[in-house]
Amino acid sequence: MVRFFGTLLLLALPLPSLAADYLLGAGDRLRLRAVIWEETTRSFVSWDVVDGEYAVQADGTLSIPIVGSVEADGRNVAAVSESISAQLQVQGGMANVPAIALEVLTYRPFYILGDIRGPGAYPAQPGLTAQQALALAGGLGNALDDRPLNLIREVGTLREIRGEITRAQMREARLEAEIADTEALTVPPELSHPDGPQALARIEAQEQAIFDARRAEIARELGALNDLEALLLNEVAGLESKLEGQRAQLDLARETLENVESLVARGLAPANRLADTQRSLITLESTETDILNALYRARQRISENQRDIVALQAGRETGATIELQQTTAELETLAVRRAVVEELILTEGGAGVFDEAETRTSYLLRRSNPTPDGATNVVEIGPDDRIGPGDVLLVSVEIVDTPAPSAN
C-alpha cells in the first residue's frame, strides 16, 4: 500500500533565494535612524523627529512623521532609504537632508503546513533551511494518519540516521583517498541517500571540495619546500666550486711561501716579503674556513628541509588516519542507533519500511511573489535549501509498505 500526505501542483520555475538584497513586504518591522549636520556644534546629531521603529503596513507602505507615506513593498532597504531622504527634502523644505539608516529588525513570518506536529506561522530568519523550519515546527507527525505518530517519528529518525551514515561513509572514502594519496576522490557506487540523488550529490560536492583543498594545500607546501631545496642545492654547488678555487689558491700560496722562505734564508729576498706572504696565506685560510662553514650550514638546511618534507607528508597521513578512526567509530555508533530505531519501528507495526525507497519527505515551497504570467511560484526544494519571509512550506511524507519477509 502506498500512502501520500499532501499534494500540490508543481510549476517548472526557478526558485529564488533569500538574498542579501532582501525585498520588503507587509509584516516586516524596520528601525530608522537619522542624523543631521548641526552648524552650531559643527557635528552630526541624531534627528529624533523621525527616529524609531516602523512596520510595513498591509498596503505595503511605511508611515513616517514629516515624510508621510513611503512605498516599501517589493523594494529593498537601500531604495526605501533613498525615497525617505527625497521625501524629507520635499516635505520639510530642508537644505541639509538628514542621512538615513534603515535596517530590518524582524522579518515577516513564514508558514509551514502538512505532515508536521506544529503547523502555523513562525518568525523568519535569514539563512533558515527547510529542514530547520521542520525542526521549529516540532518535526514530522500527522494526527490524521491511522498509523501511530511514534511510527512516523521513528521512520523520520531512521531516515536521518541513514543520512548521517551516508555522510560518514562519504567522509570515510575521502579520508581513505587522502591516506592512499590518490589524485581523485572515488565515490563508492553503493552509496545512496534517503533524501535522493540531490542530497547525495551535495555531500559528494562538499567532500570533493575538502579533498581538493587539502591536496592543493599540501601541494603548495611541498612545492615551497622543494623550491627551497633546489635553491640550497644550487648554493651548495656554488660553494663547492668556490671552495675548489680557494684551495687551488691556497696550494699556490703555500708553494709561494716555501719559495720566499728559501730566498729569505739565502738573503736573496727581504724579510718583509716573507711577512706579506704569510699574511696572504692566513687570509686565504680564513676565507676557506668561511666557505666551509657556509657549506656546512647549507647542507644542514637541506637535511632540515628534507625532514620537513617527510614530516609534512607523515603529518597529513597521521591526521587523516586519526580522522578515519573517528569516522569508523562514528559509523559503528550509527549502526547501533539504526538497529535500535528499526527495532522500535518493528514494535510499532512498521515492518517493511526499512528500504530507503519506502520513505520520503518532500518540501514544496510557495513564494509570495507571482511569476510574470500571474501563476503561483511553487517548487520542490531539498532539506538544505533556504526559505524566507512570507514563504509557505508544505511538508509531505510518503511511506510505502511492503509485505513482511516470509519466515521461511
Side-chain angles (χ1 to χ4, degrees), residues 385-404:
D385 289 329
R386 296 182 178 183
I387 64 173
D391 288 345
V392 179
L393 181 66
L394 178 64
V395 180
S396 61
V397 179
E398 174 187 338
I399 297 180
V400 181
D401 293 339
T402 58

Side-chain angles (χ1 to χ4, degrees), residues 88-130:
L88 266 178
Q89 189 170 22
V90 174
Q91 300 292 344
M94 306 173 67
N96 295 327
V97 180
I100 300 298
L102 197 63
E103 62 177 328
V104 180
L105 277 180
T106 57
Y107 295 89
R108 59 190 184 275
F110 73 92
Y111 304 87
I112 182 167
L113 307 169
D115 300 320
I116 56 174
R117 298 180 65 84
Y122 290 87
Q125 306 167 25
L128 187 73
T129 66

Side-chain angles (χ1 to χ4, degrees), residues 256-405:
T256 300
L257 179 61
E258 290 177 0
N259 292 334
V260 170
E261 285 176 342
S262 175
L263 292 173
V264 170
R266 287 182 291 165
L268 299 177
N272 60 350
R273 182 178 176 186
L274 177 61
D276 290 341
T277 305
Q278 288 172 334
R279 279 195 297 271
S280 296
L281 180 60
I282 291 171
T283 300
L284 290 172
E285 289 174 340
S286 176
T287 301
E288 180 192 33
T289 301
D290 291 341
I291 295 172
L292 286 171
N293 288 336
L295 192 57
Y296 171 77
R297 287 193 297 270
R299 286 171 175 162
Q300 187 178 39
R301 289 175 66 192
I302 289 174
S303 298
E304 292 171 353
N305 191 72
Q306 290 172 341
R307 286 198 298 270
D308 289 341
I309 291 174
V310 172
L312 179 63
Q313 294 170 328
R316 177 200 183 192
E317 183 175 343
T318 300
T321 301
I322 292 173
E323 282 190 67
L324 182 59
Q325 291 172 345
Q326 294 170 343
T327 301
T328 301
E330 181 182 346
L331 281 168
E332 292 172 355
T333 301
L334 288 169
V336 173
R337 287 180 57 199
R338 176 175 177 168
V340 170
V341 174
E342 287 179 346
E343 184 64 29
L344 288 173
I345 292 175
L346 286 173
T347 62
E348 294 287 346
V353 299
F354 296 146
D355 191 355
E356 293 157 0
E358 297 173 338
T359 65
R360 181 175 182 267
T361 300
S362 299
Y363 301 91
L364 304 182
L365 185 66
R366 183 175 66 207
R367 282 252 149 94
S368 56
N369 52 310
T371 61
D373 60 1
T376 304
N377 189 355
V378 180
V379 292
E380 182 171 2
I381 63 173
D384 296 326
D385 289 329
R386 296 182 178 183
I387 64 173
D391 288 345
V392 179
L393 181 66
L394 178 64
V395 180
S396 61
V397 179
E398 174 187 338
I399 297 180
V400 181
D401 293 339
T402 58

Side-chain angles (χ1 to χ4, degrees), residues 242-255 284 288:
K242 189 174 181 179
L243 181 62
E244 184 179 351
Q246 188 70 18
R247 284 174 171 170
Q249 292 184 48
L250 275 170
D251 291 341
L252 182 60
R254 290 188 181 105
E255 184 180 344
L284 290 172
E288 180 192 33

